[in-house]
Amino acid sequence: MRVGLFDFALPDELIAQRPACPRDSARLLDVAAAGFGDHVVRDLPKLLRPGDLMVFNDTRVIPARLKGVRAGGQSRRDVAVEALLVRKLGGGRWLCFGRPVKRLKVGDRISFAGGLQAMVEMINADGSIALAFERSGSDFLAALEGAGAVPLPPYIRGGIADARDRTDYQTLFAKVDGSVAAPTAGLHFTPELMTALAQAGIATANVTLHVGPGTFQPVRVEDTGQHAMHAEWGEVPPPTVKAIERTRQAGGRVVSIGTTALRLLESVARDNDGAVTAWSGETDIFITPGFRFRAVDLLITNFHLPRSTLFMLVSAFAGLDRMKAAYAHAIARRYRFYSYGDCCLLRR
């Protein structure tokens, strides 16, 4: 499909720079068959049904933005280096976006803040690099907490994070370290809202998908068939499989909280004849109109960038014409967009 089909104009002032406070006061657009309903997130207990199952992504954002120095030695100058961790490769090895890539060579050693040291192991054709850190596992993550910064997307204050973002850019459910971008639909939930949802008979379950920065970037080719998705690691645990089975048997609906949980559930269902089974591994699923959804009935998601894989996904889920109309409605009524913005409720 032509990528231009997924373009739209958005006023810069509608790009949210901070989350709503309290979080469940964010606005929610109900995109229903009969039209559009303007609500707030804390209205969810009356918008969903008893017996529905909400599936959250419990990944935790790590402070993945690093600044360091490549020591030049006798024949080369020192070079300031920035690295954004993208995906764990095993042990202390990470795939990264680094700059300036042209000033780096395989074998270079980089010193980051907090005593983190890494060697450039590989430089890929797409500009990404593989860094081998001298620390790994919990030791690496502990050092990263002091050395790294929150990896905000560039449309939020130029990507410059402050102390507030350490908590603002983390969901209530975050417990498994590994994401370099937040599963933003989960940012809207509070303990009070979770209590109200439970009292309304709405169940919850978790999956894990470590979100990479490629998920949120605009597509830079002209045809969707030319776009390559970055792989992301995920896991569907057995208790979540059982919760989905119970929900289906009782006639309830599976409600994905965010596109990340949806991509993981639909990846598993696609490879298992529609069934969601316990699973762990990497997925690079790219969902565009024409995709057959088999695992998720409803989707709660933020408003996404034009020409992005996420706007393509929601257009596949709810229909391109309907999503363009929904976004036009949201813009006209001054909804807040992107990671810290408002959200919508979509039906398959």
Side-chain angles (χ1 to χ4, degrees):
M1 298 185 71
R2 289 188 297 108
V3 173
L5 293 171
F6 304 93
D7 205 359
F8 59 89
L10 179 73
D12 288 344
E13 64 268 20
L14 296 186
I15 301 174
Q17 300 300 300
R18 298 283 185 185
C21 185
R23 294 189 184 201
D24 59 7
S25 67
R27 297 170 72 187
L28 182 149
L29 177 62
D30 183 10
V31 181
F36 305 124
D38 298 300
H39 301 274
V40 293
V41 174
R42 67 170 65 101
D43 293 334
L44 272 174
K46 66 182 182 183
L47 295 174
L48 300 179
R49 302 174 189 162
D52 285 345
L53 174 71
M54 305 179 77
V55 181
F56 293 89
N57 185 357
D58 65 7
T59 187
R60 181 178 180 274
V61 179
I62 58 176
R65 196 178 300 278
L66 292 167
K67 292 185 177 182
V69 175
R70 185 215 67 192
Q74 294 182 347
S75 60
R76 301 168 71 192
R77 294 180 180 178
D78 291 355
V79 174
V81 175
E82 293 186 16
L84 175 65
L85 305 182
V86 173
R87 179 164 52 93
K88 188 176 180 181
L89 299 175
R93 300 169 58 248
W94 283 78
L95 181 69
C96 306
F97 292 145
R99 62 180 183 182
V101 175
K102 293 182 179 179
R103 303 287 300 276
L104 299 176
K105 295 181 179 180
V106 172
D108 281 348
R109 292 193 171 273
I110 304 172
S111 298
F112 296 104
L116 276 178
Q117 304 280 331
M119 183 185 73
V120 179
E121 187 178 75
M122 184 182 299
I123 299 177
N124 301 311
D126 64 358
S128 63
I129 61 177
L131 291 181
F133 288 88
E134 293 181 353
R135 303 185 189 189
S136 62
S138 59
D139 187 38
F140 170 78
L141 291 171
L144 192 64
E145 288 296 328
V150 176
L152 286 183
Y155 50 74
I156 298 178
R157 304 190 306 278
I160 300 173
D162 59 22
R164 278 183 57 182
D165 295 301
R166 287 270 176 166
T167 54
D168 283 351
Y169 202 57
Q170 208 74 265
T171 73
L172 179 67
F173 318 97
K175 65 177 183 180
V176 185
D177 288 309
S179 275
V180 299
T184 55
L187 295 177
H188 301 296
F189 290 81
T190 63
E192 294 78 12
L193 176 57
M194 296 305 296
T195 298
L197 287 162
Q199 291 173 344
I202 299 160
T204 62
N206 291 341
V207 295
T208 304
L209 184 74
H210 292 328
V211 191
T215 301
F216 300 97
Q217 294 176 344
V219 177
R220 294 183 173 88
V221 294
E222 293 305 317
D223 189 277
T224 58
Q226 300 171 338
H227 179 70
M229 293 285 286
H230 288 276
E232 297 166 320
W233 184 90
E235 180 177 24
V236 179
T240 296
V241 174
K242 292 180 180 178
I244 291 173
E245 290 174 350
R246 287 195 300 269
T247 300
R248 293 291 187 209
Q249 291 168 359
R253 302 173 298 178
V254 174
V255 186
S256 179
I257 309 304
T259 57
T260 60
L262 179 145
R263 290 180 64 242
L264 181 57
L265 292 173
E266 293 294 346
S267 293
V268 176
R270 177 192 60 181
D271 296 337
N272 289 279
D273 196 27
V276 176
T277 60
W279 182 90
S280 67
E282 291 188 339
T283 177
D284 61 357
I285 191 171
F286 181 21
I287 296 176
T288 58
F291 181 87
R292 183 185 178 192
F293 292 90
R294 305 176 78 173
V296 173
D297 302 301
L298 285 83
L299 171 64
I300 295 171
T301 184
N302 284 25
F303 293 96
H304 303 296
L305 280 71
R307 301 174 67 97
S308 66
T309 61
L310 298 185
F311 186 60
M312 295 173 191
L313 183 155
V314 297
S315 297
F317 190 80
L320 177 58
D321 290 342
R322 176 159 290 277
M323 290 313 302
K324 283 191 170 183
Y327 273 44
H329 176 98
I331 291 169
R333 284 159 177 76
R334 314 296 289 176
Y335 276 70
R336 300 162 73 244
F337 275 63
Y338 302 168
S339 297
Y340 277 158
D342 299 317
C343 64
C344 52
L345 171 62
L346 308 179
R347 291 159 179 80
R348 189 172 70 186

